[in-house]
Amino acid sequence: MRATLVMLAVILPVTLVSSAYAHHSHVYDQCKSTTIEGRVERVEFKNPHNLITLRLDDGTGYIVDWLNVTRLTSAGIIVAAKQAMVPGARVVVTGFRIRTVSEIRQLTPKFKGDVDPNTIEARSIRRVDDSFSWAPSPSAYTPNCPGN
């Protein structure tokens, strides 16, 4: 019984991360990583996704799609995240760019929405002053990118 619980403790997080990747793979291009740096304008801590509005030095606004409150809470970092992601904080975000509407419709023909091309799914976030840093554990999931 103990061996079964240990196996579940190891396998379940990898499965959940993999399914999250698969869930978003039709919306975010996991073969196109980008890094941006700017100041936090607004943060919405909520489920199903936390949203951070980031303003770059050139004035361009981005929406950063981050994990949800439940996952940050279970990881034990919700308090630190709320203290770090405040208006005016300078942060660096690395993540995947959102696909265009036509790219999403090729993968999901029934998609009816619009997308903001300045949207990124966060894969790591850190404050420039190094007072906060977040990145998920490496997963067993590897996207099928050209050249892999």
Side-chain angles (χ1 to χ4, degrees), residues 68-97:
N68 60 46
V69 171
T70 303
R71 291 188 61 194
L72 292 179
T73 301
S74 66
I77 63 166
I78 187 66
V79 172
K82 285 184 174 183
Q83 291 171 344
M85 295 299 121
V86 294
R90 190 157 187 87
V91 298
V92 175
V93 177
T94 298
F96 304 125
R97 294 190 73 111

Side-chain angles (χ1 to χ4, degrees), residues 19-117:
S19 65
Y21 274 110
H23 167 75
H24 283 180
S25 65
H26 66 283
V27 177
Y28 294 98
D29 190 338
Q30 296 169 358
C31 297
K32 292 182 183 170
S33 181
T34 190
T35 299
I36 58 173
E37 180 178 331
R39 294 206 181 271
V40 173
E41 279 195 345
R42 190 176 80 195
V43 181
E44 296 176 47
F45 284 99
K46 62 182 186 169
N47 288 325
H49 299 269
N50 296 317
L51 298 175
I52 302 169
T53 303
L54 198 65
R55 182 77 49 196
L56 279 53
D57 291 342
D58 68 2
T60 305
Y62 275 84
I63 300 205
V64 178
D65 182 353
W66 194 16
L67 294 178
N68 60 46
V69 171
T70 303
R71 291 188 61 194
L72 292 179
T73 301
S74 66
I77 63 166
I78 187 66
V79 172
K82 285 184 174 183
Q83 291 171 344
M85 295 299 121
V86 294
R90 190 157 187 87
V91 298
V92 175
V93 177
T94 298
F96 304 125
R97 294 190 73 111
I98 198 161
R99 295 178 190 273
T100 65
V101 170
S102 62
E103 290 170 329
I104 295 170
R105 286 188 182 138
Q106 286 176 352
L107 299 167
T108 309
K110 293 183 180 183
F111 180 77
K112 300 281 187 224
D114 291 319
V115 298
D116 179 339

Side-chain angles (χ1 to χ4, degrees), residues 1-13 15:
M1 177 70 166
R2 183 174 169 95
T4 302
L5 290 174
V6 170
M7 285 274 273
L8 282 174
V10 171
I11 293 172
L12 189 58
T15 304

